[in-house]
């Protein structure tokens, strides 16, 4: 126990926590920038849909599935050349953001697609009957109506990213996972490991609660 | 009462005109191509309320969607106010849809927008300024009787209130035509009456032509000036509602009409009914009164002229487009007077049918 409360360890814990937030935040943000439009397109481009392009839809779906079926740890190693190209290094927190982003974008695309598909088709028809363009339908109907589901989907994504970010610790990515492995496992300091796990639990719990409460606030379907 | 106003406002010029319309849906997988509509010809007079009635699967949903281009005809012509809908390119079609409002069976309101926000949506889509939207939306919500629900979300409204929002939304862009897709089918009878009254009011006050589809004859009876009966993708009968109700020609129409005016004899009588006169049996005669003959006090005239006693076995009287229409089954104990009854009834303008003796 005393090691955990030593100033050095405490500082390491705080630094790792910030690194984790940084990795998850940036990867989640960029992943959403890519995944959101991709998800919307996947949800609206099958035959007879707003942006009907069945062939493109099929190809993108295949790419997304391929990316999602690659085990994360293999992805991290496989894309080291790309990581080096983008960040100049393959080790450290910034380098870890590259595989995290690449893993999160297709994941986000799929959860957004599911959220958009949850919007009642009747609303699309109503908007079309008003003379809305496909872009207006996305902007004024699909995204706003799917917002509660999208919020829950992004919450799920962030929680998964926190898990992944702990995994990039194994390849020197920094963050809480890195701390846990180097101190808790390699130096055999179980109390550090315990502290890391506790912080992760609190973090995940916090993110989930925040996401749930936002989604509830956005959801106007139930009487309150 | 508003019937007279709306039928008066209806001119003979057709604002919606379908000519030789066919609609075939392409084959999907193992399913063969489906022809949903055959050779449809239909005129909706400007200012009228025309109801299309049919069973589910008869093609009425497809038909109404042709009018605002949500479906395009495989062949034939669909014109709205002189504009050939199927010839429009996408952008022009979107523009045209702003002059054709539509309401839906399940309302199709956005759950995350208030009543105000939902009515504002078509105006936002049309690029109307915020100030102008405010000026338009509040009077519309007032028109449909929801000025106290402006900031309510759909989940906080009843079915009837939701449809009122739907109507206000459909009227937001000042359309010439209002399409109603089974708008009252999800509502209870009382709310249905209220929504239909609102549609009549909108038709009379704003001069909006209404094309509605329904599977309920009561809706047609309450609100429509004209009716078209659709069966298996064909319009089998079309005309003024009163005429179609009182003199249905096609079997499908007769089916629908009997759901309203139907006079099936009660089972215990039907079982005793014989085709020839027998001792101790009374003659049962069905009298149908409509049009001119319906207005006079014919029942008392009949009994006085015949000097006979008449029993009433069954009666159904209805008012369609503000005119009475009814079916009466009477029993005549003095069978000898039957020929005289038939002759006198004809003179009074009644349709007669001897059902038998019971």
């Amino acid at each position: 126990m005393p090691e955990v409360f030593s100033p050095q360890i405490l500082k390491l814990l705080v630094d790792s926590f910030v690194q984790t937030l940084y990795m998850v935040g940036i990867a989640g943000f960029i992943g959403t920038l890519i995944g959101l439009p991709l998800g919307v397109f996947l949800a609206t481009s099958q035959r007879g849909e707003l942006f009907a392009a069945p062939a493109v839809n099929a190809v993108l779906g295949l790419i997304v599935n391929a990316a999602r079926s690659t085990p994360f740890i293999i992805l991290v190693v496989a894309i080291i050349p790309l990581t080096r190209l983008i960040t100049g290094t393959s080790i450290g927190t910034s380098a870890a953001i590259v595989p995290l982003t690449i893993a999160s974008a297709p994941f986000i695309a799929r959860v957004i697609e599911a959220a958009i598909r949850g919007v009642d088709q009747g609303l699309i028809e109503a908007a079309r009957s008003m003379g809305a363009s496909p872009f207006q339908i996305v902007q004024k109907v699909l995204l706003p109506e799917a917002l509660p589901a999208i919020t829950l989907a992004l919450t799920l994504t962030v929680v998964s990213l926190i898990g992944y970010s702990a995994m990039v610790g194994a390849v020197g990515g920094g963050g809480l996972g890195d701390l846990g492995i180097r101190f808790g496992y390699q130096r055999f300091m179980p109390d550090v490991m315990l502290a890391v796990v506790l912080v992760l639990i609190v973090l995940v719990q916090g993110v989930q609660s925040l996401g749930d409460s936002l989604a509830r606030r956005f959801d106007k379907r139930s009487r309150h | 009462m508003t019937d007279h106003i709306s039928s008066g406002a209806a001119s003979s010029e057709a604002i919606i005109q379908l000519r030789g319309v066919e609609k075939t849906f392409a084959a999907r997988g193992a399913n063969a191509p489906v022809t949903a509509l055959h050779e449809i010809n239909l005129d909706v007079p400007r200012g009228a309320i025309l109801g299309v009635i049919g069973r589910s699967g008869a093609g009425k949903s497809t038909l109404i969607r042709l009018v605002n281009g949500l479906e395009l005809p495989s062949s034939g012509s669909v014109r709205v106010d002189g504009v050939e809908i199927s010839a429009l390119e996408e952008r022009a079609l979107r523009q045209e849809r702003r002059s054709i409002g539509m309401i839906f069976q399940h309302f199709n309101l956005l759950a995350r927008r208030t009543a105000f926000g939902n009515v504002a949506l078509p105006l936002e889509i049309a690029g109307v300024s915020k100030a102008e939207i405010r000026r338009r939306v509040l009077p519309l919500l007032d028109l449909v009787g929801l000025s106290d629900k402006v900031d309510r979300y759909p989940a906080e409204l009843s079915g009837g209130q939701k449809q009122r929002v739907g109507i206000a939304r459909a009227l937001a862009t000042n359309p010439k035509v209002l399409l109603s897709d089974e708008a009252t089918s999800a509502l209870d009878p009382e709310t249905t009456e209220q929504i239909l009254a609102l549609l009549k009011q909108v038709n009379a006050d704003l001069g909006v032509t209404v094309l509605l589809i329904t599977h309920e004859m009561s809706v047609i009876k309450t609100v429509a000036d004209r009716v078209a009966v659709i069966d298996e993708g064909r319009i089998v009968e079309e005309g003024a509602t009163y005429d179609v109700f009182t003199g249905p020609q096609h079997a499908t129409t007769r089916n629908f009409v009997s759901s309203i005016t139907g006079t099936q004899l009660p089972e215990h009588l039907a079982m005793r009914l014989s085709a020839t006169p027998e001792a101790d049996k009374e003659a049962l005669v069905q009298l149908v009164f409509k049009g001119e003959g319906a207005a006079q006090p014919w029942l008392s005239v009949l009994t006085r002229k015949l000097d006979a006693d008449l029993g009433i076995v069954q009666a159904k009287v209805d008012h369609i487009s503000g005119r009475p229409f009814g079916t009466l089954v009477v029993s005549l104990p003095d069978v000898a007077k039957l020929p005289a009854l038939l002759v006198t009834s004809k003179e009074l303008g009644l349709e007669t049918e001897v059902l038998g003796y019971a």
Side-chain angles (χ1 to χ4, degrees):
Chain A
M1 266 327 204
E3 291 96 323
V4 176
F5 298 106
S6 78
Q8 295 95 319
I9 298 287
L10 258 182
K11 185 178 180 308
L12 272 175
L13 205 56
V14 170
D15 287 352
S16 304
F17 181 70
V18 170
Q19 283 170 352
T20 293
L21 288 188
Y22 168 71
M23 285 188 292
V24 170
I26 302 284
F29 180 72
I30 302 174
T32 304
L33 285 187
I34 302 166
L36 182 70
L38 188 57
V40 170
F41 182 78
L42 284 173
T44 54
S45 54
Q46 284 178 8
R47 188 161 67 169
E49 294 180 331
L50 287 179
F51 298 99
V56 185
N57 181 294
V59 170
L60 282 177
L62 211 66
I63 293 170
V64 164
N65 286 346
R68 290 201 51 207
S69 45
T70 309
F72 181 64
I73 199 75
I74 292 176
L75 182 80
V76 171
V77 178
I79 63 162
I80 282 179
L82 178 71
T83 306
R84 208 172 267 143
L85 192 74
I86 294 172
T87 63
T89 172
S90 62
I91 300 171
T93 310
S94 296
I97 289 175
V98 177
L100 280 175
T101 304
I102 287 176
S104 73
F107 183 85
I108 292 173
R110 281 299 186 207
V111 289
I112 296 280
E113 179 189 5
I116 297 279
R117 287 214 179 274
V119 175
D120 183 358
Q121 288 292 310
L123 298 184
I124 298 179
E125 185 176 49
R128 286 181 68 210
S129 80
M130 294 171 205
S133 67
F135 278 106
Q136 283 176 318
I137 292 175
V138 169
Q139 176 208 348
K140 295 205 173 279
V141 177
L142 292 180
L143 289 176
E145 285 293 302
L147 188 60
I150 289 175
T151 307
L152 289 178
L154 290 182
T155 305
L156 177 70
T157 307
V158 170
V159 169
S160 304
L161 273 178
I162 292 171
Y164 282 173
S165 81
M167 242 192 281
V168 288
V171 289
L176 287 166
D178 191 34
L179 182 71
I181 287 166
R182 280 190 293 128
F183 287 76
Y185 179 69
Q186 287 163 352
R187 295 193 190 176
F188 200 63
M189 297 164 82
D191 32 15
V192 175
M193 181 66 94
L194 183 67
V196 164
V197 169
L198 282 179
V199 170
L200 281 173
I201 288 174
V202 170
L203 179 60
V204 166
Q205 190 62 51
V207 167
Q208 190 66 53
S209 299
L210 178 69
D212 286 346
S213 100
L214 280 176
R216 254 199 314 279
R217 179 126 58 93
F218 293 146
D219 195 345
K220 307 295 183 188
R221 278 170 297 186
S222 51
R223 290 164 198 258
H224 10 220
Chain B
M1 236 141 301
T2 40
D3 310 77
H4 298 304
I5 299 169
S6 55
S7 27
S11 74
S12 51
E13 179 219 343
I15 187 167
I16 301 172
Q17 195 178 59
L18 276 68
R19 284 289 175 272
V21 171
E22 299 261 348
K23 176 66 184 181
T24 304
F25 291 101
R28 278 227 168 155
N31 300 327
V34 179
T35 303
L37 296 173
H38 305 266
E39 268 304 302
I40 298 284
N41 295 302
L42 184 67
D43 281 346
V44 183
R46 190 183 294 272
I49 301 182
L50 186 141
V52 176
I53 187 164
R55 299 190 196 92
S56 44
K60 51 190 194 303
S61 296
T62 308
L63 187 139
I64 202 169
R65 279 163 179 70
L66 289 169
V67 177
N68 61 359
L70 289 178
E71 298 281 0
L72 294 175
S74 308
S75 65
S77 150
V78 178
R79 283 172 174 272
V80 177
D81 212 5
V83 176
E84 180 69 50
I85 295 295
S86 55
L88 294 175
E89 53 96 30
E90 187 61 30
R91 190 177 296 267
L93 177 60
R94 290 205 288 265
Q95 191 66 40
E96 183 62 24
R97 280 176 182 152
R98 288 172 198 164
S99 60
I100 306 171
M102 190 169 188
I103 55 177
F104 304 88
Q105 177 175 6
H106 297 295
F107 323 121
N108 294 350
L109 299 181
L110 272 62
R112 296 197 56 252
R113 280 177 177 245
T114 60
F116 183 97
N118 270 288
V119 180
L121 181 62
L123 296 168
E124 288 175 25
I125 286 168
V128 173
S129 75
K130 275 219 160 66
E132 180 61 26
I133 287 177
R134 244 198 130 62
R135 264 200 299 281
R136 288 274 311 135
V137 172
L138 294 177
L140 278 166
L141 284 170
D142 197 36
L143 174 80
V144 299
L146 289 180
S147 41
D148 58 335
K149 305 280 185 208
V150 174
D151 295 320
R152 297 292 180 161
Y153 288 95
E156 301 170 298
L157 300 174
S158 70
Q161 290 168 335
K162 283 182 206 168
Q163 196 58 287
R164 286 168 186 275
V165 175
I167 291 172
R169 180 176 73 176
L171 295 174
T173 48
N174 278 323
K176 302 172 277 197
V177 170
L178 180 62
L179 304 177
S180 167
D181 178 9
E182 296 273 10
T184 57
S185 297
L187 303 174
D188 61 62
E190 198 182 325
T191 313
T192 294
E193 289 292 320
Q194 292 167 1
I195 293 298
L196 293 178
L198 178 60
L199 284 180
K200 270 190 173 183
Q201 186 200 332
V202 163
N203 169 258
D205 295 355
L206 308 180
V208 178
T209 305
V210 179
L211 173 62
L212 61 89
I213 62 171
T214 181
H215 65 272
E216 292 171 313
M217 207 61 188
S218 59
V219 168
I220 301 285
K221 192 194 87 183
T222 312
V223 78
D225 310 314
R226 296 186 71 78
V227 57
V229 182
I230 188 167
D231 188 39
E232 293 181 346
R234 294 173 204 277
I235 290 184
V236 294
E237 196 159 350
E238 199 265 337
T241 305
Y242 191 84
D243 299 340
V244 172
F245 260 82
T246 55
Q249 302 299 311
H250 192 271
T252 306
T253 317
R254 260 182 242 130
N255 255 327
F256 277 121
V257 168
S258 72
S259 71
I260 293 284
T261 58
T263 45
Q264 288 264 303
L265 279 181
E267 204 164 330
H268 68 97
L269 269 181
M271 277 170 63
R272 278 174 39 206
L273 206 63
S274 61
T276 49
E278 283 172 41
D280 294 338
K281 283 202 170 181
E282 307 174 332
L284 293 189
V285 182
Q286 176 171 284
L287 303 171
V288 176
F289 59 103
K290 63 185 184 188
E292 296 306 309
Q296 45 181 316
W298 53 269
L299 188 55
S300 57
V301 174
L302 202 56
T303 48
R304 201 162 355 97
K305 281 197 169 176
L306 286 177
D307 190 24
D309 294 324
L310 287 179
I312 294 180
V313 176
Q314 198 166 47
K316 195 148 185 177
V317 185
D318 221 322
H319 288 258
I320 298 160
S321 307
R323 292 152 71 194
F325 164 60
T327 309
L328 195 68
V329 178
V330 295
S331 61
L332 179 67
D334 189 354
V335 176
K337 285 188 174 164
L338 183 59
L341 173 71
L342 297 181
V343 169
T344 314
S345 299
K346 284 238 164 63
E347 284 168 10
L348 289 167
L350 308 173
E351 285 173 15
T352 58
E353 186 186 341
V354 179
L355 298 177
Y357 303 85

